[in-house]
Amino acid sequence: MASLTIDNVTKSYGQTQVLKGINIAIEKGEFLILVGPSGCGKSTLMNSIAGLEDVTGGRILIGDADITQAAPKDRDIAMVFQSYALYPNMSVRENIAFGLEIRKVPKAEREQEVQRVSSLLQIEPLLDRKPGQLSGGQRQRVAMGRALARRPKLYLFDEPLSNLDAKLRVEMRTEIKKLHQRLGTTIVYVTHDQIEAMTLADRIAVMRGGELLQLGTPQEIYDNPVNKFVAGFMGSPAMNFVPCTLVAGDNGIGVEVTDGNGNPSWLPVPNAGRLGGYVGKQVILGVRPEMITDPVPHKADEVMVRHVPMQVLVTEPTGADTMLVTELNGVEINCRINPGYSTPVGEVVSLMFDMAKVVFFDPQTEERIDRG
Ligand SMILES: Nc1ncnc2c1ncn2[C@@H]1O[C@H](COP(=O)(O)OP(=O)(O)O)[C@@H](O)[C@H]1O
Ligand SMILES: [Mg+2]
């Protein structure tokens, strides 16, 4: 295993720059997840690391070795793509061993490796089948096994689970996490599934339009996003964005909000000191659905907690929680409610706002304005 350094990497196709200077230092053994909207350059970056694309500028290092100009076969990287191709005429065993065979690994050692990865991925009973005799999920495991049969310096996974159905994705996600815990491998992994990103990553890199917007632990990205885009990208249902005016009142700095019936409430803001310049101005309040709940007694006395009467527009039971849609300052917002709390549609109910973790954005630039 080795570290990976992506040093100011740019990539252009003709006049179009699709990577605009990416800098990421990935530690040995780290699980890094790349997320971002379709077309933002994730695969281009992966292919550049693998050597399947030439970069236009910058350097890529594995450990201390500059591999920017190295041929793909000399980079010692194993890669699993979304659309993996198994050799249809070879058995599972031969598919897994093939990469070792072309690297002239001796037969006994090849067999040992096939044994090791097939036990790891629980595909031992399938070793003598052909790919055509496997389900989609089993084929995906074989593709994974083929990559894992080697001990390369680095693994690259580009949306490896996106062709699988929901249940299998969850199973494979757990298996990949176990694999990483067991082998301590350095992994760069692309996904558009934010649960995958949150659960697997040591750190998440959020990209947009060929740029790296934020690099941090899942919790940092979730709790302390650098801008409205990152805030809205991670989390489901997404963070609520409420336009409001920051006001200085007798109790300090806060925001005024009005529910769908025109009832105003005042809500305190944390880190008010950082927001001084915005008093009297429009800001965007970012509040996650789980911070607006049914009233829970154990939080009632916290300084950042307020009870607000809100009209129920829609309820969406999910079993564990009920998502409640209401309106604040003219926009619909999602709240996460205990299913035991009565929320009849059309009625006004009391909801608890925990303002301790809210964030604020500039309405023009959409950048965070309260970040420490
Ligand atoms: N060979 C190519 N020629 C021209 N443009 C390309 C080529 N490959 C990718 N692109 C463009 O580069 C951008 C990034 O693509 P890609 O890395 O595949 O995005 P992602 O994997 O994040 O969805 C896209 O706008 C895509 O159209
Ligand atoms: Mg892609």
Side-chain angles (χ1 to χ4, degrees):
M1 288 304 119
S3 61
L4 171 71
T5 308
I6 300 162
D7 175 19
N8 202 21
V9 165
T10 58
K11 172 72 182 176
S12 299
Y13 292 108
Q15 298 296 316
T16 318
Q17 200 175 27
V18 298
L19 295 178
K20 299 175 180 170
I22 304 289
N23 290 291
I24 307 176
I26 298 152
E27 286 165 33
K28 193 169 157 177
E30 186 171 22
F31 201 137
L32 182 95
I33 295 224
L34 284 178
V35 295
S38 182
C40 73
K42 304 181 297 295
S43 293
T44 304
L45 183 58
M46 295 293 265
N47 293 339
S48 304
I49 298 168
L52 306 176
E53 301 267 8
D54 290 329
V55 301
T56 307
R59 296 185 315 154
I60 298 169
L61 291 89
I62 293 184
D64 297 326
D66 186 334
I67 54 146
T68 318
Q69 306 300 332
K73 66 174 174 46
D74 298 329
R75 295 187 182 205
D76 201 8
I77 291 173
M79 188 157 180
V80 182
F81 298 91
Q82 176 181 350
S83 47
Y84 45 87
L86 299 175
Y87 302 105
N89 299 321
M90 292 185 191
S91 68
V92 167
R93 184 190 308 279
E94 289 162 338
N95 264 285
I96 294 175
F98 187 67
L100 303 172
E101 203 175 328
I102 55 174
R103 280 181 182 75
K104 306 218 166 22
V105 175
K107 186 151 192 285
E109 206 174 309
R110 290 201 308 259
E111 278 170 8
Q112 218 178 346
E113 272 303 278
V114 170
Q115 208 45 56
R116 182 182 67 85
V117 302
S118 56
S119 126
L120 204 61
L121 295 167
Q122 294 164 25
I123 50 176
E124 288 149 304
L126 311 176
L127 284 175
D128 295 315
R129 293 200 202 169
K130 297 274 168 63
Q133 298 168 296
L134 303 175
S135 71
Q138 291 169 331
R139 278 201 288 269
Q140 183 62 30
R141 282 176 201 228
V142 176
M144 202 80 87
R146 202 168 48 177
L148 297 174
R150 298 171 43 210
R151 301 287 184 99
K153 296 205 173 80
L154 178 69
Y155 289 105
L156 303 177
F157 294 93
D158 193 347
E159 307 208 27
L161 307 185
S162 51
N163 286 340
L164 305 183
D165 65 45
K167 186 163 175 288
L168 257 173
R169 285 179 74 108
V170 174
E171 279 174 26
M172 285 301 286
R173 188 173 82 205
T174 309
E175 227 151 288
I176 291 171
K177 181 138 195 174
K178 283 193 212 148
L179 266 177
H180 180 249
Q181 286 169 356
R182 220 172 315 172
L183 305 178
T185 45
T186 311
I187 298 177
V188 185
Y189 187 110
V190 173
T191 182
H192 61 258
D193 181 328
Q194 48 182 308
I195 313 247
E196 233 166 84
M198 289 294 291
T199 53
L200 289 176
D202 289 319
R203 285 190 300 164
I204 297 175
V206 186
M207 291 177 64
R208 180 181 59 179
E211 286 177 286
L212 176 65
L213 296 183
Q214 188 168 6
L215 177 64
T217 64
Q219 209 62 50
E220 279 164 7
I221 302 274
Y222 192 78
D223 287 341
N224 204 6
V226 293
N227 59 29
K228 188 168 168 246
F229 177 83
V230 174
F233 197 76
M234 297 303 287
S236 176
M239 181 183 277
N240 297 296
F241 298 116
V242 186
C244 39
T245 306
L246 204 62
V247 291
D250 296 341
N251 328 332
I253 292 177
V255 289
E256 253 170 15
V257 290
T258 308
D259 79 345
N261 293 326
N263 300 314
S265 300
W266 185 90
L267 298 170
V269 307
N271 304 315
R274 297 186 191 135
L275 287 164
Y278 281 84
V279 172
K281 295 191 179 140
Q282 278 283 309
V283 294
I284 294 172
L285 163 69
V287 53
R288 295 215 178 263
E290 64 268 27
M291 296 296 129
I292 313 170
T293 62
D294 46 297
V296 285
H298 70 273
K299 282 176 93 172
D301 294 333
E302 289 178 19
V303 284
M304 282 293 155
V305 166
R306 291 293 184 281
H307 294 269
V308 181
M310 305 279 286
Q311 191 179 27
V312 180
L313 300 179
V314 178
T315 57
E316 297 167 342
T318 69
D321 305 296
T322 292
M323 301 315 299
L324 183 157
V325 181
T326 180
E327 188 189 306
L328 204 60
N329 285 6
V331 297
E332 287 193 349
I333 61 167
N334 283 297
C335 321
R336 193 183 285 269
I337 307 293
N338 185 321
Y341 188 59
S342 172
T343 54
V345 171
E347 303 274 300
V348 174
V349 298
S350 178
L351 297 184
M352 182 180 257
F353 273 67
D354 182 353
M355 299 292 285
K357 283 174 125 183
V358 300
V359 292
F360 288 91
F361 305 96
D362 182 294
Q364 268 75 50
T365 65
E366 302 198 338
E367 295 298 317
R368 272 287 291 287
I369 53 178
D370 60 331
R371 214 162 175 265

